[in-house]
Amino acid sequence: MIILNGGSSSGKSGIVRCLQDVLPDPWLTFGCDSFVDALPARMQASEGGITFAADGGVSVGADFRALEAAWTEGIVTMARAGARVIVDDVFLGGAASQQRWRKALDGLAVLWVGVRCESAVAAGREIARGDRVRGMAASQADVVHRGVFYDLEVDTTRTESLPCARAIAARVGRSPDRPTRS
């Protein structure tokens, strides 16, 4: 597995698309945006689900966490069954978020990748996208990396997705069956 962590609008999705193109074997991709989109509408903007504050802050409740745990286990089950999987995530809880993944991934080889982007650049991308609450990119740019251990970090501030994907693929290529550590 490859897990990419970075704030909103940091460039993770672009890197993931490029990774699928440059890696020699087929890799499935799953992202936290798809998970949030799959939630029932009533869980978006609810106390038990997920809420987006006017300043870009994100809060999640118990129902969200329960479904997130099931989603994570489903992805891990696919990896255990032999699928190569790339996850595009936003560790809102920093180290605690990574620890939830580590617990679920016990025994699997994982390449942990930090995707960084200067706050101002991510904020500009956020405006251009038009599908995010303004302020989300700036509020997440640093907090998602606090206390998180990475095997590799890339910075999309001035580097396009393809070179970042190639750097990640080179790390995977060093040991195709066991990227670095779990």
Side-chain angles (χ1 to χ4, degrees), residues 27-44:
W27 288 70
L28 299 173
T29 65
F30 299 95
C32 58
D33 287 344
S34 297
F35 168 66
V36 171
D37 289 344
L39 293 172
R42 70 178 177 276
M43 285 188 64
Q44 297 186 22

Side-chain angles (χ1 to χ4, degrees), residues 1-5 87 89 91 97-103 105 108-115 148-154 168 171 179-182:
M1 280 188 69
I2 302 170
I3 298 184
L4 282 74
N5 172 50
V87 174
D89 208 342
F91 290 178
S97 296
Q98 185 178 38
Q99 187 56 35
R100 281 193 295 275
W101 272 107
R102 281 187 185 282
K103 184 178 177 186
L105 292 162
L108 285 177
V110 180
L111 180 67
W112 298 94
V113 180
V115 179
V148 177
F149 166 83
Y150 298 113
D151 297 303
L152 175 67
E153 292 188 39
V154 295
I168 296 165
R171 284 296 293 265
T180 55
R181 47 186 114 156
S182 58

Side-chain angles (χ1 to χ4, degrees), residues 14-157:
I15 292 171
V16 167
R17 285 188 296 275
C18 290
L19 271 171
Q20 284 185 303
D21 192 50
V22 301
L23 289 167
D25 298 308
W27 288 70
L28 299 173
T29 65
F30 299 95
C32 58
D33 287 344
S34 297
F35 168 66
V36 171
D37 289 344
L39 293 172
R42 70 178 177 276
M43 285 188 64
Q44 297 186 22
S46 78
E47 186 177 306
I50 185 168
T51 58
F52 301 94
D55 67 355
V58 179
S59 299
V60 298
D63 293 337
F64 179 95
R65 286 285 181 226
L67 288 174
E68 179 186 44
W71 177 76
T72 300
E73 286 298 326
I75 291 171
V76 170
T77 298
M78 284 185 275
R80 289 191 193 287
R84 291 172 182 88
V85 178
I86 304 167
V87 174
D88 161 355
D89 208 342
V90 179
F91 290 178
L92 294 173
S97 296
Q98 185 178 38
Q99 187 56 35
R100 281 193 295 275
W101 272 107
R102 281 187 185 282
K103 184 178 177 186
L105 292 162
D106 185 40
L108 285 177
V110 180
L111 180 67
W112 298 94
V113 180
V115 179
R116 295 190 183 267
C117 183
E118 288 179 9
S119 179
V121 172
R125 292 176 186 167
E126 175 180 78
I127 291 168
R129 289 175 72 159
D131 66 348
R132 297 283 190 259
V133 175
R134 281 199 187 178
M136 189 180 298
S139 71
Q140 294 176 2
D142 293 320
V143 72
V144 300
H145 300 291
R146 285 193 192 134
V148 177
F149 166 83
Y150 298 113
D151 297 303
L152 175 67
E153 292 188 39
V154 295
D155 190 323
T156 65
T157 303

